[in-house]
Amino acid sequence: MSASTEHWKAWGQYIAIAGAYAACYEVTRHVTFPHWILTAGLRLSCLLLVPVRYWPALALGELLPMVENALLCIPQFGIPWAISASVPMIVLCMACIKPMRARWSYYSPDGRLNKVFLLGATLACALLTAIKTSVTTLTALMDSPGAWPDIDLHLYFWAYLLGSYLGALTLTPMILALKQRFDEQGFFSMTMLTRSPLFRDTMAIVPILGMLCWYAFSTHDEVAKQLARFAMLVPVVAMTWRHGWHGGAIAGMVSSIASAATADALLDPKMIQFQVVLSLVVSASLFTAARLPNASRETLISER
């Protein structure tokens, strides 16, 4: 293969990665709100899994939709906001994750999850996201004083921090768990998937969480709604006990999605209280399960 062909092939890979990331970013951005920032999970997952040489493509993939959104909203929020909003968050996170990746791995040599690395990277990126998003919000408030008197920047900072942390916990551990399983199995088939105890247990908890979600969303009793949300923590603990951190990661994702679907107001204090507890439970599940022998190896993807 000629040097010219290799050159264009490399550019094609960069463009494909940038396009794929931009598409995924747009999807997650449309289901994101201040205390559940799913884009943080997509961002951290890519920074942990994509080779560093392709990081410029990730930055480009995030830059394009952010610039488009900034240009459209200039009349509403002003030019300073547009400039701040155009800075890709992933570039800031790269500065944090690159030295961490150079020193540590998210898996230990025996295949266990490096819980300190994962939770540390999650918290660091969440903090960067909260700071940068708060600064961007501040530029809009300064450009139009008094336009949004209900916005308390201190409250929003903590909401952004919680949302970024929980959003990362929703996607990143699940993606790492599935990658480890598929890497160890070496191939994928529907038969292999349907024989998986983890898959069967996941399919068992989905209807339960669906009913809890429907009840919490439809009831007007605030106490009953909050109890339904807290009941969503049970599958996280149960799946962690049965399948190790893989089970906790997947159940944490499903429970997080189900609870987010019950939100009926922005920055609802009851919702935020539950999400704080959910983030602590998922973190504790990953931390404690990763210390034990990898129980999930007994039921990797299929029963042989």
Side-chain angles (χ1 to χ4, degrees):
M1 187 177 293
S2 66
S4 177
T5 303
E6 286 285 354
H7 175 78
W8 286 110
K9 181 180 178 181
W11 273 105
Q13 291 174 335
Y14 275 88
I15 294 172
I17 292 172
Y21 181 81
C24 293
Y25 181 85
E26 279 292 290
V27 171
T28 54
R29 187 170 68 87
H30 281 88
V31 292
T32 285
F33 46 88
H35 49 93
W36 197 62
I37 304 177
L38 211 56
T39 51
L42 173 66
R43 189 177 296 119
L44 181 58
S45 300
C46 290
L47 291 179
L48 293 180
L49 295 177
V50 174
V52 174
R53 66 179 180 275
Y54 293 121
W55 280 13
L58 297 178
L60 178 63
E62 188 166 308
L63 174 67
L64 296 177
M66 293 185 75
V67 169
E68 178 187 12
N69 182 64
L71 292 175
L72 292 174
C73 296
I74 285 179
Q76 184 177 3
F77 302 122
I79 292 178
W81 174 89
I83 295 173
S84 179
S86 298
V87 177
M89 191 81 69
I90 196 168
V91 174
L92 303 180
C93 293
M94 285 175 182
C96 173
I97 298 300
K98 186 175 181 180
M100 295 181 71
R101 278 189 55 170
R103 185 167 183 177
W104 300 292
S105 171
Y106 47 85
Y107 293 137
S108 60
D110 61 357
R112 300 184 189 182
L113 178 70
N114 187 338
K115 54 196 178 298
V116 175
F117 173 80
L118 177 60
L119 295 178
T122 301
L123 183 58
C125 288
L127 185 59
L128 287 173
T129 301
I131 293 172
K132 195 266 184 181
T133 309
S134 296
V135 171
T136 301
T137 304
L138 179 61
T139 59
L141 295 176
M142 294 176 64
D143 187 75
S144 304
W148 300 281
D150 295 335
I151 292 184
D152 182 343
L153 197 57
H154 295 91
L155 175 61
Y156 269 72
F157 171 81
W158 292 110
Y160 293 142
L161 181 61
L162 169 65
S164 302
Y165 187 76
L166 184 58
L169 287 181
T170 299
L171 287 183
T172 306
M174 180 273 299
I175 291 173
L176 293 179
L178 293 181
K179 179 182 183 300
Q180 185 182 51
R181 285 178 169 246
F182 292 143
D183 285 349
E184 291 181 348
Q185 193 69 21
F187 67 97
F188 173 80
S189 70
M190 288 305 298
T191 302
M192 173 185 68
L193 181 66
T194 55
R195 289 180 178 177
S196 165
L198 176 57
F199 176 79
R200 291 198 298 265
D201 288 349
T202 302
M203 290 299 99
I205 68 171
V206 167
I208 298 172
L209 290 170
M211 288 187 291
L212 289 171
C213 174
W214 169 82
Y215 179 76
F217 188 78
S218 60
T219 184
H220 298 291
D221 185 335
E222 290 300 321
V223 174
K225 177 180 292 189
Q226 196 71 342
L227 287 175
R229 286 172 177 157
F230 275 93
M232 296 177 185
L233 300 174
V234 176
V236 179
V237 177
M239 291 283 283
T240 302
W241 179 265
R242 176 162 165 76
H243 298 285
W245 75 268
H246 288 186
I250 293 176
M253 178 199 68
V254 180
S255 296
S256 182
I257 293 173
S259 65
T262 68
D264 52 10
L266 188 62
L267 299 184
D268 177 7
K270 296 290 186 182
M271 182 65 167
I272 292 177
Q273 289 172 8
F274 169 74
Q275 289 184 315
V276 169
V277 176
L278 175 61
S279 62
L280 292 174
V281 169
V282 174
S283 299
S285 297
L286 296 174
F287 191 88
T288 55
R291 298 182 63 183
L292 302 173
N294 196 349
S296 58
R297 290 179 180 275
E298 299 174 3
T299 55
L300 279 175
I301 294 183
S302 63
E303 291 179 328
R304 299 175 184 269

